[in-house]
PDB file of all heavy atoms in Angstrom:
ATOM      1  N   PHE A 127     -21.255  15.404  17.742  1.00  0.00           N
ATOM      2  CA  PHE A 127     -21.047  15.182  16.306  1.00  0.00           C
ATOM      3  C   PHE A 127     -19.808  15.929  15.819  1.00  0.00           C
ATOM      4  O   PHE A 127     -18.962  15.370  15.093  1.00  0.00           O
ATOM      5  CB  PHE A 127     -22.305  15.633  15.557  1.00  0.00           C
ATOM      6  CG  PHE A 127     -22.175  15.628  14.056  1.00  0.00           C
ATOM      7  CD1 PHE A 127     -22.143  14.438  13.353  1.00  0.00           C
ATOM      8  CD2 PHE A 127     -22.105  16.820  13.361  1.00  0.00           C
ATOM      9  CE1 PHE A 127     -22.033  14.435  11.973  1.00  0.00           C
ATOM     10  CE2 PHE A 127     -21.995  16.830  11.979  1.00  0.00           C
ATOM     11  CZ  PHE A 127     -21.964  15.639  11.282  1.00  0.00           C
ATOM     12  N   ASP A 130     -16.470  14.484  17.564  1.00  0.00           N
ATOM     13  CA  ASP A 130     -15.999  13.219  17.007  1.00  0.00           C
ATOM     14  C   ASP A 130     -15.239  13.449  15.708  1.00  0.00           C
ATOM     15  O   ASP A 130     -14.248  12.750  15.430  1.00  0.00           O
ATOM     16  CB  ASP A 130     -17.182  12.285  16.787  1.00  0.00           C
ATOM     17  CG  ASP A 130     -16.762  10.899  16.378  1.00  0.00           C
ATOM     18  OD1 ASP A 130     -16.115  10.218  17.193  1.00  0.00           O
ATOM     19  OD2 ASP A 130     -17.060  10.487  15.242  1.00  0.00           O
ATOM     20  N   VAL A 155     -18.298   6.628  21.276  1.00  0.00           N
ATOM     21  CA  VAL A 155     -19.181   6.518  20.111  1.00  0.00           C
ATOM     22  C   VAL A 155     -20.389   5.640  20.427  1.00  0.00           C
ATOM     23  O   VAL A 155     -21.527   5.977  20.077  1.00  0.00           O
ATOM     24  CB  VAL A 155     -18.383   5.954  18.906  1.00  0.00           C
ATOM     25  CG1 VAL A 155     -19.323   5.609  17.761  1.00  0.00           C
ATOM     26  CG2 VAL A 155     -17.352   6.968  18.442  1.00  0.00           C
ATOM     27  N   PHE A 159     -23.545   7.979  20.296  1.00  0.00           N
ATOM     28  CA  PHE A 159     -24.254   7.805  19.032  1.00  0.00           C
ATOM     29  C   PHE A 159     -25.075   6.522  18.977  1.00  0.00           C
ATOM     30  O   PHE A 159     -25.761   6.282  17.984  1.00  0.00           O
ATOM     31  CB  PHE A 159     -23.253   7.833  17.873  1.00  0.00           C
ATOM     32  CG  PHE A 159     -22.422   9.082  17.835  1.00  0.00           C
ATOM     33  CD1 PHE A 159     -21.051   9.015  17.695  1.00  0.00           C
ATOM     34  CD2 PHE A 159     -23.007  10.325  17.962  1.00  0.00           C
ATOM     35  CE1 PHE A 159     -20.273  10.160  17.668  1.00  0.00           C
ATOM     36  CE2 PHE A 159     -22.247  11.483  17.942  1.00  0.00           C
ATOM     37  CZ  PHE A 159     -20.873  11.403  17.797  1.00  0.00           C
ATOM     38  N   TYR A 181     -32.128  -0.031  17.318  1.00  0.00           N
ATOM     39  CA  TYR A 181     -31.181   1.020  16.943  1.00  0.00           C
ATOM     40  C   TYR A 181     -29.831   0.819  17.642  1.00  0.00           C
ATOM     41  O   TYR A 181     -28.773   0.945  17.016  1.00  0.00           O
ATOM     42  CB  TYR A 181     -31.766   2.392  17.294  1.00  0.00           C
ATOM     43  CG  TYR A 181     -30.930   3.547  16.800  1.00  0.00           C
ATOM     44  CD1 TYR A 181     -31.169   4.109  15.552  1.00  0.00           C
ATOM     45  CD2 TYR A 181     -29.896   4.068  17.572  1.00  0.00           C
ATOM     46  CE1 TYR A 181     -30.395   5.154  15.082  1.00  0.00           C
ATOM     47  CE2 TYR A 181     -29.112   5.122  17.107  1.00  0.00           C
ATOM     48  CZ  TYR A 181     -29.378   5.659  15.861  1.00  0.00           C
ATOM     49  OH  TYR A 181     -28.591   6.699  15.384  1.00  0.00           O
ATOM     50  N   ARG A 188     -22.601  -2.131  13.662  1.00  0.00           N
ATOM     51  CA  ARG A 188     -21.825  -1.265  12.760  1.00  0.00           C
ATOM     52  C   ARG A 188     -20.421  -1.024  13.299  1.00  0.00           C
ATOM     53  O   ARG A 188     -19.430  -1.055  12.548  1.00  0.00           O
ATOM     54  CB  ARG A 188     -22.581   0.066  12.588  1.00  0.00           C
ATOM     55  CG  ARG A 188     -21.789   1.221  12.016  1.00  0.00           C
ATOM     56  CD  ARG A 188     -21.422   1.002  10.565  1.00  0.00           C
ATOM     57  NE  ARG A 188     -20.666   2.111  10.033  1.00  0.00           N
ATOM     58  CZ  ARG A 188     -19.381   2.345  10.259  1.00  0.00           C
ATOM     59  NH1 ARG A 188     -18.701   1.536  11.041  1.00  0.00           N
ATOM     60  NH2 ARG A 188     -18.772   3.366   9.700  1.00  0.00           N
ATOM     61  N   LEU A 189     -20.283  -0.813  14.603  1.00  0.00           N
ATOM     62  CA  LEU A 189     -18.975  -0.556  15.199  1.00  0.00           C
ATOM     63  C   LEU A 189     -18.097  -1.795  15.257  1.00  0.00           C
ATOM     64  O   LEU A 189     -16.884  -1.716  15.076  1.00  0.00           O
ATOM     65  CB  LEU A 189     -19.153   0.017  16.611  1.00  0.00           C
ATOM     66  CG  LEU A 189     -19.691   1.441  16.720  1.00  0.00           C
ATOM     67  CD1 LEU A 189     -19.975   1.786  18.170  1.00  0.00           C
ATOM     68  CD2 LEU A 189     -18.718   2.435  16.114  1.00  0.00           C
ATOM     69  N   TYR A 200     -15.815   3.922   4.589  1.00  0.00           N
ATOM     70  CA  TYR A 200     -16.529   3.254   5.673  1.00  0.00           C
ATOM     71  C   TYR A 200     -17.474   2.237   5.058  1.00  0.00           C
ATOM     72  O   TYR A 200     -17.968   2.430   3.946  1.00  0.00           O
ATOM     73  CB  TYR A 200     -17.360   4.241   6.493  1.00  0.00           C
ATOM     74  CG  TYR A 200     -16.577   5.315   7.212  1.00  0.00           C
ATOM     75  CD1 TYR A 200     -16.711   6.646   6.829  1.00  0.00           C
ATOM     76  CD2 TYR A 200     -15.747   5.008   8.267  1.00  0.00           C
ATOM     77  CE1 TYR A 200     -16.013   7.643   7.496  1.00  0.00           C
ATOM     78  CE2 TYR A 200     -15.045   5.994   8.936  1.00  0.00           C
ATOM     79  CZ  TYR A 200     -15.182   7.309   8.542  1.00  0.00           C
ATOM     80  OH  TYR A 200     -14.489   8.286   9.196  1.00  0.00           O
ATOM     81  N   LYS A 201     -17.750   1.178   5.789  1.00  0.00           N
ATOM     82  CA  LYS A 201     -18.763   0.217   5.375  1.00  0.00           C
ATOM     83  C   LYS A 201     -19.987   0.429   6.241  1.00  0.00           C
ATOM     84  O   LYS A 201     -19.958   0.221   7.442  1.00  0.00           O
ATOM     85  CB  LYS A 201     -18.241  -1.213   5.526  1.00  0.00           C
ATOM     86  CG  LYS A 201     -19.155  -2.261   4.901  1.00  0.00           C
ATOM     87  CD  LYS A 201     -18.539  -3.634   5.009  1.00  0.00           C
ATOM     88  CE  LYS A 201     -19.442  -4.683   4.352  1.00  0.00           C
ATOM     89  NZ  LYS A 201     -18.867  -6.039   4.467  1.00  0.00           N
ATOM     90  N   GLY A 202     -21.065   0.871   5.627  1.00  0.00           N
ATOM     91  CA  GLY A 202     -22.236   1.267   6.386  1.00  0.00           C
ATOM     92  C   GLY A 202     -22.143   2.718   6.805  1.00  0.00           C
ATOM     93  O   GLY A 202     -21.052   3.283   6.923  1.00  0.00           O
ATOM     94  N   LEU A 203     -23.285   3.323   7.031  1.00  0.00           N
ATOM     95  CA  LEU A 203     -23.318   4.725   7.420  1.00  0.00           C
ATOM     96  C   LEU A 203     -22.674   4.910   8.785  1.00  0.00           C
ATOM     97  O   LEU A 203     -23.034   4.210   9.739  1.00  0.00           O
ATOM     98  CB  LEU A 203     -24.764   5.222   7.447  1.00  0.00           C
ATOM     99  CG  LEU A 203     -24.967   6.681   7.872  1.00  0.00           C
ATOM    100  CD1 LEU A 203     -24.385   7.630   6.837  1.00  0.00           C
ATOM    101  CD2 LEU A 203     -26.449   6.971   8.095  1.00  0.00           C
ATOM    102  N   PRO A 204     -21.721   5.842   8.933  1.00  0.00           N
ATOM    103  CA  PRO A 204     -21.134   6.099  10.256  1.00  0.00           C
ATOM    104  C   PRO A 204     -22.195   6.519  11.263  1.00  0.00           C
ATOM    105  O   PRO A 204     -23.153   7.239  10.936  1.00  0.00           O
ATOM    106  CB  PRO A 204     -20.143   7.236   9.987  1.00  0.00           C
ATOM    107  CG  PRO A 204     -19.783   7.085   8.542  1.00  0.00           C
ATOM    108  CD  PRO A 204     -21.027   6.585   7.864  1.00  0.00           C
ATOM    109  N   CYS A 205     -22.031   6.067  12.493  1.00  0.00           N
ATOM    110  CA  CYS A 205     -23.054   6.288  13.522  1.00  0.00           C
ATOM    111  C   CYS A 205     -23.269   7.763  13.820  1.00  0.00           C
ATOM    112  O   CYS A 205     -24.376   8.168  14.193  1.00  0.00           O
ATOM    113  CB  CYS A 205     -22.664   5.552  14.803  1.00  0.00           C
ATOM    114  SG  CYS A 205     -22.509   3.766  14.612  1.00  0.00           S
ATOM    115  N   ARG A 206     -22.232   8.572  13.694  1.00  0.00           N
ATOM    116  CA  ARG A 206     -22.394   9.981  14.049  1.00  0.00           C
ATOM    117  C   ARG A 206     -23.349  10.706  13.107  1.00  0.00           C
ATOM    118  O   ARG A 206     -24.054  11.628  13.525  1.00  0.00           O
ATOM    119  CB  ARG A 206     -21.038  10.680  14.084  1.00  0.00           C
ATOM    120  CG  ARG A 206     -20.296  10.765  12.777  1.00  0.00           C
ATOM    121  CD  ARG A 206     -19.110  11.712  12.893  1.00  0.00           C
ATOM    122  NE  ARG A 206     -18.328  11.765  11.677  1.00  0.00           N
ATOM    123  CZ  ARG A 206     -17.154  11.167  11.517  1.00  0.00           C
ATOM    124  NH1 ARG A 206     -16.648  10.440  12.498  1.00  0.00           N
ATOM    125  NH2 ARG A 206     -16.489  11.263  10.392  1.00  0.00           N
ATOM    126  N   TYR A 207     -23.390  10.303  11.825  1.00  0.00           N
ATOM    127  CA  TYR A 207     -24.320  10.948  10.895  1.00  0.00           C
ATOM    128  C   TYR A 207     -25.758  10.528  11.184  1.00  0.00           C
ATOM    129  O   TYR A 207     -26.679  11.354  11.082  1.00  0.00           O
ATOM    130  CB  TYR A 207     -23.932  10.607   9.457  1.00  0.00           C
ATOM    131  CG  TYR A 207     -22.754  11.393   8.962  1.00  0.00           C
ATOM    132  CD1 TYR A 207     -21.485  10.834   8.945  1.00  0.00           C
ATOM    133  CD2 TYR A 207     -22.896  12.700   8.513  1.00  0.00           C
ATOM    134  CE1 TYR A 207     -20.388  11.552   8.502  1.00  0.00           C
ATOM    135  CE2 TYR A 207     -21.819  13.427   8.064  1.00  0.00           C
ATOM    136  CZ  TYR A 207     -20.559  12.845   8.059  1.00  0.00           C
ATOM    137  OH  TYR A 207     -19.487  13.571   7.628  1.00  0.00           O
ATOM    138  N   ALA A 208     -25.955   9.272  11.534  1.00  0.00           N
ATOM    139  CA  ALA A 208     -27.306   8.832  11.920  1.00  0.00           C
ATOM    140  C   ALA A 208     -27.765   9.556  13.176  1.00  0.00           C
ATOM    141  O   ALA A 208     -28.924   9.985  13.281  1.00  0.00           O
ATOM    142  CB  ALA A 208     -27.309   7.317  12.143  1.00  0.00           C
ATOM    143  N   SER A 209     -26.859   9.737  14.129  1.00  0.00           N
ATOM    144  CA  SER A 209     -27.207  10.462  15.355  1.00  0.00           C
ATOM    145  C   SER A 209     -27.514  11.928  15.062  1.00  0.00           C
ATOM    146  O   SER A 209     -28.445  12.502  15.641  1.00  0.00           O
ATOM    147  CB  SER A 209     -26.059  10.353  16.357  1.00  0.00           C
ATOM    148  OG  SER A 209     -26.321  11.106  17.514  1.00  0.00           O
ATOM    149  N   CYS A 210     -26.743  12.529  14.160  1.00  0.00           N
ATOM    150  CA  CYS A 210     -26.996  13.930  13.810  1.00  0.00           C
ATOM    151  C   CYS A 210     -28.363  14.102  13.155  1.00  0.00           C
ATOM    152  O   CYS A 210     -29.066  15.082  13.424  1.00  0.00           O
ATOM    153  CB  CYS A 210     -25.887  14.420  12.880  1.00  0.00           C
ATOM    154  SG  CYS A 210     -25.997  16.169  12.435  1.00  0.00           S
ATOM    155  N   MET A 233     -32.435   5.248   9.414  1.00  0.00           N
ATOM    156  CA  MET A 233     -31.020   5.261   9.783  1.00  0.00           C
ATOM    157  C   MET A 233     -30.508   3.857  10.110  1.00  0.00           C
ATOM    158  O   MET A 233     -29.352   3.528   9.840  1.00  0.00           O
ATOM    159  CB  MET A 233     -30.807   6.178  10.986  1.00  0.00           C
ATOM    160  CG  MET A 233     -31.028   7.659  10.709  1.00  0.00           C
ATOM    161  SD  MET A 233     -29.970   8.327   9.413  1.00  0.00           S
ATOM    162  CE  MET A 233     -31.140   8.435   8.035  1.00  0.00           C
ATOM    163  N   PHE A 236     -29.650   2.289   6.824  1.00  0.00           N
ATOM    164  CA  PHE A 236     -28.407   2.827   6.269  1.00  0.00           C
ATOM    165  C   PHE A 236     -27.186   2.296   7.030  1.00  0.00           C
ATOM    166  O   PHE A 236     -26.151   2.013   6.427  1.00  0.00           O
ATOM    167  CB  PHE A 236     -28.418   4.354   6.309  1.00  0.00           C
ATOM    168  CG  PHE A 236     -29.155   4.974   5.161  1.00  0.00           C
ATOM    169  CD1 PHE A 236     -30.309   5.709   5.375  1.00  0.00           C
ATOM    170  CD2 PHE A 236     -28.701   4.828   3.867  1.00  0.00           C
ATOM    171  CE1 PHE A 236     -30.997   6.280   4.329  1.00  0.00           C
ATOM    172  CE2 PHE A 236     -29.381   5.395   2.799  1.00  0.00           C
ATOM    173  CZ  PHE A 236     -30.535   6.126   3.021  1.00  0.00           C
ATOM    174  N   MET A 237     -27.273   2.180   8.361  1.00  0.00           N
ATOM    175  CA  MET A 237     -26.142   1.660   9.122  1.00  0.00           C
ATOM    176  C   MET A 237     -25.893   0.180   8.842  1.00  0.00           C
ATOM    177  O   MET A 237     -24.739  -0.269   8.830  1.00  0.00           O
ATOM    178  CB  MET A 237     -26.377   1.873  10.630  1.00  0.00           C
ATOM    179  CG  MET A 237     -26.185   3.299  11.095  1.00  0.00           C
ATOM    180  SD  MET A 237     -26.145   3.465  12.897  1.00  0.00           S
ATOM    181  CE  MET A 237     -27.847   3.062  13.317  1.00  0.00           C
ATOM    182  N   TYR A 243     -19.121   4.221   2.186  1.00  0.00           N
ATOM    183  CA  TYR A 243     -19.168   5.675   2.304  1.00  0.00           C
ATOM    184  C   TYR A 243     -17.743   6.206   2.434  1.00  0.00           C
ATOM    185  O   TYR A 243     -16.922   5.615   3.148  1.00  0.00           O
ATOM    186  CB  TYR A 243     -19.985   6.088   3.526  1.00  0.00           C
ATOM    187  CG  TYR A 243     -21.464   5.808   3.407  1.00  0.00           C
ATOM    188  CD1 TYR A 243     -21.979   4.560   3.747  1.00  0.00           C
ATOM    189  CD2 TYR A 243     -22.345   6.779   2.954  1.00  0.00           C
ATOM    190  CE1 TYR A 243     -23.325   4.288   3.638  1.00  0.00           C
ATOM    191  CE2 TYR A 243     -23.698   6.515   2.843  1.00  0.00           C
ATOM    192  CZ  TYR A 243     -24.183   5.268   3.187  1.00  0.00           C
ATOM    193  OH  TYR A 243     -25.520   4.997   3.064  1.00  0.00           O
ATOM    194  N   PRO A 244     -17.432   7.287   1.752  1.00  0.00           N
ATOM    195  CA  PRO A 244     -16.054   7.800   1.812  1.00  0.00           C
ATOM    196  C   PRO A 244     -15.765   8.473   3.151  1.00  0.00           C
ATOM    197  O   PRO A 244     -16.669   8.949   3.838  1.00  0.00           O
ATOM    198  CB  PRO A 244     -16.009   8.812   0.667  1.00  0.00           C
ATOM    199  CG  PRO A 244     -17.418   9.292   0.557  1.00  0.00           C
ATOM    200  CD  PRO A 244     -18.292   8.104   0.887  1.00  0.00           C
ATOM    201  N   HIS A 245     -14.492   8.494   3.519  1.00  0.00           N
ATOM    202  CA  HIS A 245     -14.077   9.303   4.665  1.00  0.00           C
ATOM    203  C   HIS A 245     -14.311  10.773   4.314  1.00  0.00           C
ATOM    204  O   HIS A 245     -13.769  11.271   3.321  1.00  0.00           O
ATOM    205  CB  HIS A 245     -12.594   9.080   4.972  1.00  0.00           C
ATOM    206  CG  HIS A 245     -12.340   7.802   5.709  1.00  0.00           C
ATOM    207  ND1 HIS A 245     -11.087   7.398   6.101  1.00  0.00           N
ATOM    208  CD2 HIS A 245     -13.187   6.834   6.140  1.00  0.00           C
ATOM    209  CE1 HIS A 245     -11.164   6.235   6.736  1.00  0.00           C
ATOM    210  NE2 HIS A 245     -12.430   5.876   6.766  1.00  0.00           N
ATOM    211  N   ASP A 246     -15.115  11.440   5.123  1.00  0.00           N
ATOM    212  CA  ASP A 246     -15.400  12.846   4.836  1.00  0.00           C
ATOM    213  C   ASP A 246     -14.143  13.710   4.980  1.00  0.00           C
ATOM    214  O   ASP A 246     -13.875  14.564   4.171  1.00  0.00           O
ATOM    215  CB  ASP A 246     -16.520  13.365   5.739  1.00  0.00           C
ATOM    216  CG  ASP A 246     -16.355  12.900   7.175  1.00  0.00           C
ATOM    217  OD1 ASP A 246     -15.266  12.405   7.523  1.00  0.00           O
ATOM    218  OD2 ASP A 246     -17.309  13.031   7.938  1.00  0.00           O
ATOM    219  N   TYR A 285     -24.365  14.004   2.962  1.00  0.00           N
ATOM    220  CA  TYR A 285     -23.383  12.915   3.039  1.00  0.00           C
ATOM    221  C   TYR A 285     -24.039  11.566   2.806  1.00  0.00           C
ATOM    222  O   TYR A 285     -23.438  10.670   2.194  1.00  0.00           O
ATOM    223  CB  TYR A 285     -22.696  12.934   4.406  1.00  0.00           C
ATOM    224  CG  TYR A 285     -21.687  11.823   4.594  1.00  0.00           C
ATOM    225  CD1 TYR A 285     -20.393  11.942   4.085  1.00  0.00           C
ATOM    226  CD2 TYR A 285     -22.026  10.651   5.265  1.00  0.00           C
ATOM    227  CE1 TYR A 285     -19.476  10.921   4.247  1.00  0.00           C
ATOM    228  CE2 TYR A 285     -21.115   9.634   5.431  1.00  0.00           C
ATOM    229  CZ  TYR A 285     -19.838   9.760   4.924  1.00  0.00           C
ATOM    230  OH  TYR A 285     -18.931   8.742   5.076  1.00  0.00           O
ATOM    231  N   ILE A 286     -25.275  11.399   3.274  1.00  0.00           N
ATOM    232  CA  ILE A 286     -25.954  10.109   3.146  1.00  0.00           C
ATOM    233  C   ILE A 286     -26.351   9.826   1.697  1.00  0.00           C
ATOM    234  O   ILE A 286     -26.133   8.724   1.172  1.00  0.00           O
ATOM    235  CB  ILE A 286     -27.183  10.060   4.066  1.00  0.00           C
ATOM    236  CG1 ILE A 286     -26.742  10.089   5.540  1.00  0.00           C
ATOM    237  CG2 ILE A 286     -28.020   8.813   3.795  1.00  0.00           C
ATOM    238  CD1 ILE A 286     -27.893  10.222   6.512  1.00  0.00           C
TER     239      ILE A 286
END
Side-chain angles (χ1 to χ4, degrees):
F127 173 72
D130 187 65
V155 170
F159 304 132
Y181 187 91
R188 164 68 180 77
L189 289 173
Y200 297 113
K201 189 176 181 181
L203 179 67
C205 299
R206 64 169 177 256
Y207 283 100
S209 176
C210 184
M233 292 301 104
F236 278 115
M237 285 191 292
Y243 291 86
H245 282 181
D246 43 13
Y285 179 82
I286 294 173

